[in-house]
Amino acid sequence: MPRRARRSGVKFVEDDRDRSLTFFKRRSGLFKAASDLSALTGARVAMVLESETGKFSSFGTPKAGPIVDSFVLGNAPIDSNSSEEDKARITSLQNELFQLEKAKAIEDKRKYENMA
């Protein structure tokens, strides 16, 4: 079976609305991938994103704050007080939240397209 051709590259999204929607969708996918990485390997993951509008989004498993603090200060990470069961529940809820956000974005796009 032949391999599928790779995409020819990534290009800037010119339309403001489309760019905002693309950011929202890609952000959700990125956060889900980070959550999966944490669930599969037990790695502690933290991400901070800033949109064009200046709004910040952060993600961490189980929390971004302690991971960022340990990185900035150069200290070894401190173990969280959360049990493995709590961590798994948090990851599950974060995945559910991202799926709901993605569904809402798709619904909003459909409403906008129907109005146009």
Side-chain angles (χ1 to χ4, degrees), residues 21-58:
L21 186 61
T22 299
F23 174 81
F24 181 78
K25 286 181 178 180
R26 293 284 181 113
R27 179 191 67 181
S28 296
L30 184 61
F31 286 171
K32 181 173 182 339
S35 177
D36 291 349
L37 176 65
S38 176
L40 292 171
T41 64
R44 292 173 19 137
V45 179
M47 275 192 264
V48 178
L49 303 176
E50 181 182 7
S51 69
E52 277 188 328
T53 60
K55 293 182 181 177
F56 285 92
S57 302
S58 66

PDB file of all heavy atoms in Angstrom, residues 21-58:
ATOM      1  N   LEU A  21     -10.660  30.814  14.576  1.00  0.00           N
ATOM      2  CA  LEU A  21     -11.250  29.486  14.685  1.00  0.00           C
ATOM      3  C   LEU A  21     -10.172  28.410  14.590  1.00  0.00           C
ATOM      4  O   LEU A  21     -10.184  27.431  15.346  1.00  0.00           O
ATOM      5  CB  LEU A  21     -12.302  29.288  13.591  1.00  0.00           C
ATOM      6  CG  LEU A  21     -13.099  27.992  13.657  1.00  0.00           C
ATOM      7  CD1 LEU A  21     -13.877  27.913  14.967  1.00  0.00           C
ATOM      8  CD2 LEU A  21     -14.042  27.909  12.475  1.00  0.00           C
ATOM      9  N   THR A  22      -9.221  28.599  13.687  1.00  0.00           N
ATOM     10  CA  THR A  22      -8.122  27.649  13.544  1.00  0.00           C
ATOM     11  C   THR A  22      -7.307  27.577  14.828  1.00  0.00           C
ATOM     12  O   THR A  22      -6.949  26.490  15.289  1.00  0.00           O
ATOM     13  CB  THR A  22      -7.209  28.033  12.360  1.00  0.00           C
ATOM     14  OG1 THR A  22      -7.987  28.008  11.169  1.00  0.00           O
ATOM     15  CG2 THR A  22      -6.031  27.089  12.231  1.00  0.00           C
ATOM     16  N   PHE A  23      -7.031  28.740  15.432  1.00  0.00           N
ATOM     17  CA  PHE A  23      -6.288  28.769  16.694  1.00  0.00           C
ATOM     18  C   PHE A  23      -7.042  27.976  17.755  1.00  0.00           C
ATOM     19  O   PHE A  23      -6.458  27.159  18.466  1.00  0.00           O
ATOM     20  CB  PHE A  23      -6.080  30.209  17.174  1.00  0.00           C
ATOM     21  CG  PHE A  23      -5.447  30.299  18.539  1.00  0.00           C
ATOM     22  CD1 PHE A  23      -4.086  30.164  18.694  1.00  0.00           C
ATOM     23  CD2 PHE A  23      -6.229  30.501  19.667  1.00  0.00           C
ATOM     24  CE1 PHE A  23      -3.500  30.240  19.949  1.00  0.00           C
ATOM     25  CE2 PHE A  23      -5.656  30.571  20.926  1.00  0.00           C
ATOM     26  CZ  PHE A  23      -4.292  30.436  21.064  1.00  0.00           C
ATOM     27  N   PHE A  24      -8.349  28.204  17.856  1.00  0.00           N
ATOM     28  CA  PHE A  24      -9.164  27.541  18.862  1.00  0.00           C
ATOM     29  C   PHE A  24      -9.134  26.027  18.675  1.00  0.00           C
ATOM     30  O   PHE A  24      -8.917  25.277  19.629  1.00  0.00           O
ATOM     31  CB  PHE A  24     -10.602  28.064  18.783  1.00  0.00           C
ATOM     32  CG  PHE A  24     -11.516  27.464  19.803  1.00  0.00           C
ATOM     33  CD1 PHE A  24     -11.491  27.910  21.112  1.00  0.00           C
ATOM     34  CD2 PHE A  24     -12.395  26.458  19.458  1.00  0.00           C
ATOM     35  CE1 PHE A  24     -12.327  27.358  22.054  1.00  0.00           C
ATOM     36  CE2 PHE A  24     -13.236  25.908  20.391  1.00  0.00           C
ATOM     37  CZ  PHE A  24     -13.205  26.361  21.696  1.00  0.00           C
ATOM     38  N   LYS A  25      -9.323  25.574  17.450  1.00  0.00           N
ATOM     39  CA  LYS A  25      -9.328  24.137  17.182  1.00  0.00           C
ATOM     40  C   LYS A  25      -7.955  23.517  17.416  1.00  0.00           C
ATOM     41  O   LYS A  25      -7.833  22.448  18.018  1.00  0.00           O
ATOM     42  CB  LYS A  25      -9.746  23.870  15.740  1.00  0.00           C
ATOM     43  CG  LYS A  25     -11.205  24.075  15.476  1.00  0.00           C
ATOM     44  CD  LYS A  25     -11.485  23.760  14.016  1.00  0.00           C
ATOM     45  CE  LYS A  25     -12.923  23.882  13.662  1.00  0.00           C
ATOM     46  NZ  LYS A  25     -13.155  23.570  12.237  1.00  0.00           N
ATOM     47  N   ARG A  26      -6.917  24.159  16.909  1.00  0.00           N
ATOM     48  CA  ARG A  26      -5.566  23.613  17.068  1.00  0.00           C
ATOM     49  C   ARG A  26      -5.146  23.600  18.533  1.00  0.00           C
ATOM     50  O   ARG A  26      -4.457  22.695  18.986  1.00  0.00           O
ATOM     51  CB  ARG A  26      -4.555  24.421  16.241  1.00  0.00           C
ATOM     52  CG  ARG A  26      -4.738  24.303  14.748  1.00  0.00           C
ATOM     53  CD  ARG A  26      -4.227  22.957  14.255  1.00  0.00           C
ATOM     54  NE  ARG A  26      -4.360  22.828  12.825  1.00  0.00           N
ATOM     55  CZ  ARG A  26      -3.326  22.761  11.994  1.00  0.00           C
ATOM     56  NH1 ARG A  26      -2.108  22.832  12.455  1.00  0.00           N
ATOM     57  NH2 ARG A  26      -3.543  22.628  10.715  1.00  0.00           N
ATOM     58  N   ARG A  27      -5.560  24.643  19.281  1.00  0.00           N
ATOM     59  CA  ARG A  27      -5.242  24.701  20.703  1.00  0.00           C
ATOM     60  C   ARG A  27      -5.845  23.502  21.416  1.00  0.00           C
ATOM     61  O   ARG A  27      -5.166  22.828  22.196  1.00  0.00           O
ATOM     62  CB  ARG A  27      -5.785  25.997  21.310  1.00  0.00           C
ATOM     63  CG  ARG A  27      -5.512  26.101  22.805  1.00  0.00           C
ATOM     64  CD  ARG A  27      -6.262  27.225  23.435  1.00  0.00           C
ATOM     65  NE  ARG A  27      -7.682  26.912  23.372  1.00  0.00           N
ATOM     66  CZ  ARG A  27      -8.627  27.708  23.826  1.00  0.00           C
ATOM     67  NH1 ARG A  27      -8.330  28.870  24.329  1.00  0.00           N
ATOM     68  NH2 ARG A  27      -9.879  27.357  23.748  1.00  0.00           N
ATOM     69  N   SER A  28      -7.094  23.213  21.129  1.00  0.00           N
ATOM     70  CA  SER A  28      -7.755  22.064  21.751  1.00  0.00           C
ATOM     71  C   SER A  28      -7.033  20.762  21.414  1.00  0.00           C
ATOM     72  O   SER A  28      -6.829  19.917  22.285  1.00  0.00           O
ATOM     73  CB  SER A  28      -9.212  21.986  21.300  1.00  0.00           C
ATOM     74  OG  SER A  28      -9.929  23.106  21.750  1.00  0.00           O
ATOM     75  N   GLY A  29      -6.639  20.615  20.154  1.00  0.00           N
ATOM     76  CA  GLY A  29      -5.914  19.422  19.747  1.00  0.00           C
ATOM     77  C   GLY A  29      -4.555  19.313  20.420  1.00  0.00           C
ATOM     78  O   GLY A  29      -4.131  18.222  20.829  1.00  0.00           O
ATOM     79  N   LEU A  30      -3.880  20.432  20.549  1.00  0.00           N
ATOM     80  CA  LEU A  30      -2.571  20.455  21.204  1.00  0.00           C
ATOM     81  C   LEU A  30      -2.698  20.073  22.677  1.00  0.00           C
ATOM     82  O   LEU A  30      -1.926  19.272  23.203  1.00  0.00           O
ATOM     83  CB  LEU A  30      -1.945  21.848  21.062  1.00  0.00           C
ATOM     84  CG  LEU A  30      -0.545  22.044  21.600  1.00  0.00           C
ATOM     85  CD1 LEU A  30       0.447  21.137  20.879  1.00  0.00           C
ATOM     86  CD2 LEU A  30      -0.131  23.494  21.454  1.00  0.00           C
ATOM     87  N   PHE A  31      -3.717  20.639  23.350  1.00  0.00           N
ATOM     88  CA  PHE A  31      -3.939  20.319  24.755  1.00  0.00           C
ATOM     89  C   PHE A  31      -4.309  18.846  24.928  1.00  0.00           C
ATOM     90  O   PHE A  31      -3.884  18.195  25.871  1.00  0.00           O
ATOM     91  CB  PHE A  31      -5.024  21.211  25.349  1.00  0.00           C
ATOM     92  CG  PHE A  31      -4.587  22.639  25.597  1.00  0.00           C
ATOM     93  CD1 PHE A  31      -5.520  23.588  25.961  1.00  0.00           C
ATOM     94  CD2 PHE A  31      -3.272  23.035  25.475  1.00  0.00           C
ATOM     95  CE1 PHE A  31      -5.140  24.905  26.201  1.00  0.00           C
ATOM     96  CE2 PHE A  31      -2.877  24.340  25.696  1.00  0.00           C
ATOM     97  CZ  PHE A  31      -3.814  25.271  26.066  1.00  0.00           C
ATOM     98  N   LYS A  32      -5.102  18.304  24.008  1.00  0.00           N
ATOM     99  CA  LYS A  32      -5.479  16.897  24.089  1.00  0.00           C
ATOM    100  C   LYS A  32      -4.247  16.016  23.905  1.00  0.00           C
ATOM    101  O   LYS A  32      -4.072  15.027  24.631  1.00  0.00           O
ATOM    102  CB  LYS A  32      -6.531  16.539  23.057  1.00  0.00           C
ATOM    103  CG  LYS A  32      -6.940  15.068  23.178  1.00  0.00           C
ATOM    104  CD  LYS A  32      -8.080  14.714  22.306  1.00  0.00           C
ATOM    105  CE  LYS A  32      -8.525  13.280  22.436  1.00  0.00           C
ATOM    106  NZ  LYS A  32      -7.629  12.293  22.966  1.00  0.00           N
ATOM    107  N   ALA A  33      -3.387  16.371  22.960  1.00  0.00           N
ATOM    108  CA  ALA A  33      -2.166  15.593  22.746  1.00  0.00           C
ATOM    109  C   ALA A  33      -1.281  15.622  23.988  1.00  0.00           C
ATOM    110  O   ALA A  33      -0.693  14.602  24.375  1.00  0.00           O
ATOM    111  CB  ALA A  33      -1.403  16.125  21.536  1.00  0.00           C
ATOM    112  N   ALA A  34      -1.190  16.781  24.633  1.00  0.00           N
ATOM    113  CA  ALA A  34      -0.390  16.891  25.861  1.00  0.00           C
ATOM    114  C   ALA A  34      -0.999  16.043  26.973  1.00  0.00           C
ATOM    115  O   ALA A  34      -0.288  15.384  27.732  1.00  0.00           O
ATOM    116  CB  ALA A  34      -0.299  18.353  26.288  1.00  0.00           C
ATOM    117  N   SER A  35      -2.318  16.057  27.057  1.00  0.00           N
ATOM    118  CA  SER A  35      -3.003  15.245  28.058  1.00  0.00           C
ATOM    119  C   SER A  35      -2.758  13.758  27.821  1.00  0.00           C
ATOM    120  O   SER A  35      -2.495  12.997  28.763  1.00  0.00           O
ATOM    121  CB  SER A  35      -4.503  15.555  28.016  1.00  0.00           C
ATOM    122  OG  SER A  35      -5.194  14.742  28.924  1.00  0.00           O
ATOM    123  N   ASP A  36      -2.824  13.347  26.561  1.00  0.00           N
ATOM    124  CA  ASP A  36      -2.564  11.952  26.216  1.00  0.00           C
ATOM    125  C   ASP A  36      -1.128  11.569  26.556  1.00  0.00           C
ATOM    126  O   ASP A  36      -0.884  10.480  27.083  1.00  0.00           O
ATOM    127  CB  ASP A  36      -2.821  11.701  24.727  1.00  0.00           C
ATOM    128  CG  ASP A  36      -4.298  11.781  24.359  1.00  0.00           C
ATOM    129  OD1 ASP A  36      -5.150  11.817  25.280  1.00  0.00           O
ATOM    130  OD2 ASP A  36      -4.597  11.834  23.147  1.00  0.00           O
ATOM    131  N   LEU A  37      -0.187  12.446  26.246  1.00  0.00           N
ATOM    132  CA  LEU A  37       1.217  12.183  26.558  1.00  0.00           C
ATOM    133  C   LEU A  37       1.396  11.965  28.058  1.00  0.00           C
ATOM    134  O   LEU A  37       2.073  11.036  28.489  1.00  0.00           O
ATOM    135  CB  LEU A  37       2.101  13.343  26.081  1.00  0.00           C
ATOM    136  CG  LEU A  37       3.581  13.239  26.423  1.00  0.00           C
ATOM    137  CD1 LEU A  37       4.221  12.053  25.705  1.00  0.00           C
ATOM    138  CD2 LEU A  37       4.293  14.523  26.059  1.00  0.00           C
ATOM    139  N   SER A  38       0.754  12.808  28.845  1.00  0.00           N
ATOM    140  CA  SER A  38       0.835  12.682  30.290  1.00  0.00           C
ATOM    141  C   SER A  38       0.211  11.380  30.769  1.00  0.00           C
ATOM    142  O   SER A  38       0.767  10.688  31.619  1.00  0.00           O
ATOM    143  CB  SER A  38       0.150  13.875  30.961  1.00  0.00           C
ATOM    144  OG  SER A  38       0.149  13.713  32.352  1.00  0.00           O
ATOM    145  N   ALA A  39      -0.956  11.044  30.225  1.00  0.00           N
ATOM    146  CA  ALA A  39      -1.645   9.826  30.646  1.00  0.00           C
ATOM    147  C   ALA A  39      -0.848   8.574  30.280  1.00  0.00           C
ATOM    148  O   ALA A  39      -0.784   7.620  31.054  1.00  0.00           O
ATOM    149  CB  ALA A  39      -3.031   9.767  30.013  1.00  0.00           C
ATOM    150  N   LEU A  40      -0.219   8.584  29.099  1.00  0.00           N
ATOM    151  CA  LEU A  40       0.511   7.405  28.629  1.00  0.00           C
ATOM    152  C   LEU A  40       1.857   7.226  29.310  1.00  0.00           C
ATOM    153  O   LEU A  40       2.301   6.105  29.530  1.00  0.00           O
ATOM    154  CB  LEU A  40       0.720   7.488  27.118  1.00  0.00           C
ATOM    155  CG  LEU A  40      -0.535   7.358  26.265  1.00  0.00           C
ATOM    156  CD1 LEU A  40      -0.218   7.674  24.810  1.00  0.00           C
ATOM    157  CD2 LEU A  40      -1.136   5.968  26.398  1.00  0.00           C
ATOM    158  N   THR A  41       2.530   8.329  29.620  1.00  0.00           N
ATOM    159  CA  THR A  41       3.904   8.230  30.127  1.00  0.00           C
ATOM    160  C   THR A  41       4.071   8.683  31.570  1.00  0.00           C
ATOM    161  O   THR A  41       5.129   8.488  32.153  1.00  0.00           O
ATOM    162  CB  THR A  41       4.854   9.070  29.261  1.00  0.00           C
ATOM    163  OG1 THR A  41       4.495  10.451  29.384  1.00  0.00           O
ATOM    164  CG2 THR A  41       4.791   8.636  27.802  1.00  0.00           C
ATOM    165  N   GLY A  42       3.054   9.337  32.129  1.00  0.00           N
ATOM    166  CA  GLY A  42       3.176   9.853  33.490  1.00  0.00           C
ATOM    167  C   GLY A  42       3.966  11.149  33.557  1.00  0.00           C
ATOM    168  O   GLY A  42       4.286  11.635  34.633  1.00  0.00           O
ATOM    169  N   ALA A  43       4.296  11.716  32.401  1.00  0.00           N
ATOM    170  CA  ALA A  43       5.044  12.971  32.368  1.00  0.00           C
ATOM    171  C   ALA A  43       4.171  14.121  32.869  1.00  0.00           C
ATOM    172  O   ALA A  43       2.958  14.119  32.669  1.00  0.00           O
ATOM    173  CB  ALA A  43       5.506  13.270  30.946  1.00  0.00           C
ATOM    174  N   ARG A  44       4.781  15.061  33.528  1.00  0.00           N
ATOM    175  CA  ARG A  44       4.065  16.277  33.925  1.00  0.00           C
ATOM    176  C   ARG A  44       4.232  17.270  32.787  1.00  0.00           C
ATOM    177  O   ARG A  44       5.348  17.537  32.350  1.00  0.00           O
ATOM    178  CB  ARG A  44       4.639  16.828  35.223  1.00  0.00           C
ATOM    179  CG  ARG A  44       4.354  15.912  36.389  1.00  0.00           C
ATOM    180  CD  ARG A  44       5.020  16.295  37.686  1.00  0.00           C
ATOM    181  NE  ARG A  44       5.470  17.659  37.759  1.00  0.00           N
ATOM    182  CZ  ARG A  44       5.317  18.454  38.817  1.00  0.00           C
ATOM    183  NH1 ARG A  44       4.734  17.996  39.885  1.00  0.00           N
ATOM    184  NH2 ARG A  44       5.766  19.677  38.812  1.00  0.00           N
ATOM    185  N   VAL A  45       3.116  17.809  32.304  1.00  0.00           N
ATOM    186  CA  VAL A  45       3.113  18.659  31.119  1.00  0.00           C
ATOM    187  C   VAL A  45       2.498  20.004  31.468  1.00  0.00           C
ATOM    188  O   VAL A  45       1.492  20.068  32.156  1.00  0.00           O
ATOM    189  CB  VAL A  45       2.307  18.006  29.968  1.00  0.00           C
ATOM    190  CG1 VAL A  45       2.279  18.899  28.751  1.00  0.00           C
ATOM    191  CG2 VAL A  45       2.870  16.637  29.634  1.00  0.00           C
ATOM    192  N   ALA A  46       3.123  21.084  30.977  1.00  0.00           N
ATOM    193  CA  ALA A  46       2.557  22.420  31.139  1.00  0.00           C
ATOM    194  C   ALA A  46       2.747  23.185  29.841  1.00  0.00           C
ATOM    195  O   ALA A  46       3.796  23.088  29.203  1.00  0.00           O
ATOM    196  CB  ALA A  46       3.235  23.161  32.277  1.00  0.00           C
ATOM    197  N   MET A  47       1.691  23.931  29.442  1.00  0.00           N
ATOM    198  CA  MET A  47       1.743  24.750  28.233  1.00  0.00           C
ATOM    199  C   MET A  47       1.056  26.074  28.504  1.00  0.00           C
ATOM    200  O   MET A  47       0.069  26.121  29.225  1.00  0.00           O
ATOM    201  CB  MET A  47       0.979  24.075  27.091  1.00  0.00           C
ATOM    202  CG  MET A  47       1.751  23.084  26.335  1.00  0.00           C
ATOM    203  SD  MET A  47       0.851  22.660  24.857  1.00  0.00           S
ATOM    204  CE  MET A  47       0.031  21.211  25.435  1.00  0.00           C
ATOM    205  N   VAL A  48       1.589  27.118  27.910  1.00  0.00           N
ATOM    206  CA  VAL A  48       0.955  28.432  27.965  1.00  0.00           C
ATOM    207  C   VAL A  48       0.925  28.974  26.538  1.00  0.00           C
ATOM    208  O   VAL A  48       1.938  28.983  25.858  1.00  0.00           O
ATOM    209  CB  VAL A  48       1.731  29.410  28.878  1.00  0.00           C
ATOM    210  CG1 VAL A  48       1.075  30.775  28.874  1.00  0.00           C
ATOM    211  CG2 VAL A  48       1.823  28.860  30.287  1.00  0.00           C
ATOM    212  N   LEU A  49      -0.258  29.407  26.097  1.00  0.00           N
ATOM    213  CA  LEU A  49      -0.427  29.965  24.755  1.00  0.00           C
ATOM    214  C   LEU A  49      -1.006  31.359  24.864  1.00  0.00           C
ATOM    215  O   LEU A  49      -1.804  31.641  25.753  1.00  0.00           O
ATOM    216  CB  LEU A  49      -1.389  29.105  23.928  1.00  0.00           C
ATOM    217  CG  LEU A  49      -1.040  27.638  23.744  1.00  0.00           C
ATOM    218  CD1 LEU A  49      -2.164  26.934  22.994  1.00  0.00           C
ATOM    219  CD2 LEU A  49       0.254  27.500  22.993  1.00  0.00           C
ATOM    220  N   GLU A  50      -0.609  32.238  23.956  1.00  0.00           N
ATOM    221  CA  GLU A  50      -1.182  33.576  23.885  1.00  0.00           C
ATOM    222  C   GLU A  50      -1.771  33.760  22.492  1.00  0.00           C
ATOM    223  O   GLU A  50      -1.092  33.578  21.489  1.00  0.00           O
ATOM    224  CB  GLU A  50      -0.130  34.651  24.143  1.00  0.00           C
ATOM    225  CG  GLU A  50      -0.712  36.050  24.103  1.00  0.00           C
ATOM    226  CD  GLU A  50       0.330  37.135  24.299  1.00  0.00           C
ATOM    227  OE1 GLU A  50       1.536  36.827  24.331  1.00  0.00           O
ATOM    228  OE2 GLU A  50      -0.075  38.296  24.412  1.00  0.00           O
ATOM    229  N   SER A  51      -3.048  34.136  22.432  1.00  0.00           N
ATOM    230  CA  SER A  51      -3.698  34.350  21.142  1.00  0.00           C
ATOM    231  C   SER A  51      -3.334  35.728  20.607  1.00  0.00           C
ATOM    232  O   SER A  51      -2.727  36.543  21.313  1.00  0.00           O
ATOM    233  CB  SER A  51      -5.219  34.234  21.285  1.00  0.00           C
ATOM    234  OG  SER A  51      -5.717  35.319  22.018  1.00  0.00           O
ATOM    235  N   GLU A  52      -3.726  35.999  19.364  1.00  0.00           N
ATOM    236  CA  GLU A  52      -3.479  37.312  18.770  1.00  0.00           C
ATOM    237  C   GLU A  52      -4.151  38.430  19.552  1.00  0.00           C
ATOM    238  O   GLU A  52      -3.692  39.558  19.549  1.00  0.00           O
ATOM    239  CB  GLU A  52      -4.021  37.347  17.336  1.00  0.00           C
ATOM    240  CG  GLU A  52      -3.101  36.783  16.318  1.00  0.00           C
ATOM    241  CD  GLU A  52      -3.639  37.036  14.925  1.00  0.00           C
ATOM    242  OE1 GLU A  52      -4.862  37.070  14.730  1.00  0.00           O
ATOM    243  OE2 GLU A  52      -2.804  37.209  14.026  1.00  0.00           O
ATOM    244  N   THR A  53      -5.268  38.096  20.207  1.00  0.00           N
ATOM    245  CA  THR A  53      -6.010  39.105  20.961  1.00  0.00           C
ATOM    246  C   THR A  53      -5.399  39.365  22.331  1.00  0.00           C
ATOM    247  O   THR A  53      -5.891  40.209  23.060  1.00  0.00           O
ATOM    248  CB  THR A  53      -7.482  38.674  21.142  1.00  0.00           C
ATOM    249  OG1 THR A  53      -7.522  37.435  21.864  1.00  0.00           O
ATOM    250  CG2 THR A  53      -8.170  38.511  19.797  1.00  0.00           C
ATOM    251  N   GLY A  54      -4.357  38.618  22.671  1.00  0.00           N
ATOM    252  CA  GLY A  54      -3.678  38.820  23.951  1.00  0.00           C
ATOM    253  C   GLY A  54      -4.217  37.955  25.073  1.00  0.00           C
ATOM    254  O   GLY A  54      -3.782  38.073  26.216  1.00  0.00           O
ATOM    255  N   LYS A  55      -5.145  37.062  24.771  1.00  0.00           N
ATOM    256  CA  LYS A  55      -5.689  36.175  25.791  1.00  0.00           C
ATOM    257  C   LYS A  55      -4.764  34.977  25.965  1.00  0.00           C
ATOM    258  O   LYS A  55      -4.237  34.435  25.002  1.00  0.00           O
ATOM    259  CB  LYS A  55      -7.087  35.691  25.397  1.00  0.00           C
ATOM    260  CG  LYS A  55      -8.114  36.797  25.391  1.00  0.00           C
ATOM    261  CD  LYS A  55      -9.477  36.256  25.048  1.00  0.00           C
ATOM    262  CE  LYS A  55     -10.488  37.386  25.011  1.00  0.00           C
ATOM    263  NZ  LYS A  55     -11.819  36.912  24.621  1.00  0.00           N
ATOM    264  N   PHE A  56      -4.589  34.582  27.222  1.00  0.00           N
ATOM    265  CA  PHE A  56      -3.723  33.459  27.532  1.00  0.00           C
ATOM    266  C   PHE A  56      -4.551  32.213  27.794  1.00  0.00           C
ATOM    267  O   PHE A  56      -5.644  32.287  28.362  1.00  0.00           O
ATOM    268  CB  PHE A  56      -2.862  33.751  28.765  1.00  0.00           C
ATOM    269  CG  PHE A  56      -1.738  34.697  28.489  1.00  0.00           C
ATOM    270  CD1 PHE A  56      -1.899  36.060  28.667  1.00  0.00           C
ATOM    271  CD2 PHE A  56      -0.511  34.233  28.051  1.00  0.00           C
ATOM    272  CE1 PHE A  56      -0.879  36.936  28.407  1.00  0.00           C
ATOM    273  CE2 PHE A  56       0.525  35.101  27.785  1.00  0.00           C
ATOM    274  CZ  PHE A  56       0.341  36.456  27.971  1.00  0.00           C
ATOM    275  N   SER A  57      -4.012  31.077  27.397  1.00  0.00           N
ATOM    276  CA  SER A  57      -4.583  29.771  27.700  1.00  0.00           C
ATOM    277  C   SER A  57      -3.462  28.941  28.296  1.00  0.00           C
ATOM    278  O   SER A  57      -2.334  28.980  27.810  1.00  0.00           O
ATOM    279  CB  SER A  57      -5.075  29.072  26.437  1.00  0.00           C
ATOM    280  OG  SER A  57      -6.028  29.847  25.769  1.00  0.00           O
ATOM    281  N   SER A  58      -3.791  28.207  29.342  1.00  0.00           N
ATOM    282  CA  SER A  58      -2.767  27.344  29.927  1.00  0.00           C
ATOM    283  C   SER A  58      -3.332  25.956  30.134  1.00  0.00           C
ATOM    284  O   SER A  58      -4.539  25.769  30.248  1.00  0.00           O
ATOM    285  CB  SER A  58      -2.271  27.910  31.259  1.00  0.00           C
ATOM    286  OG  SER A  58      -3.302  27.894  32.216  1.00  0.00           O
TER     287      SER A  58
END
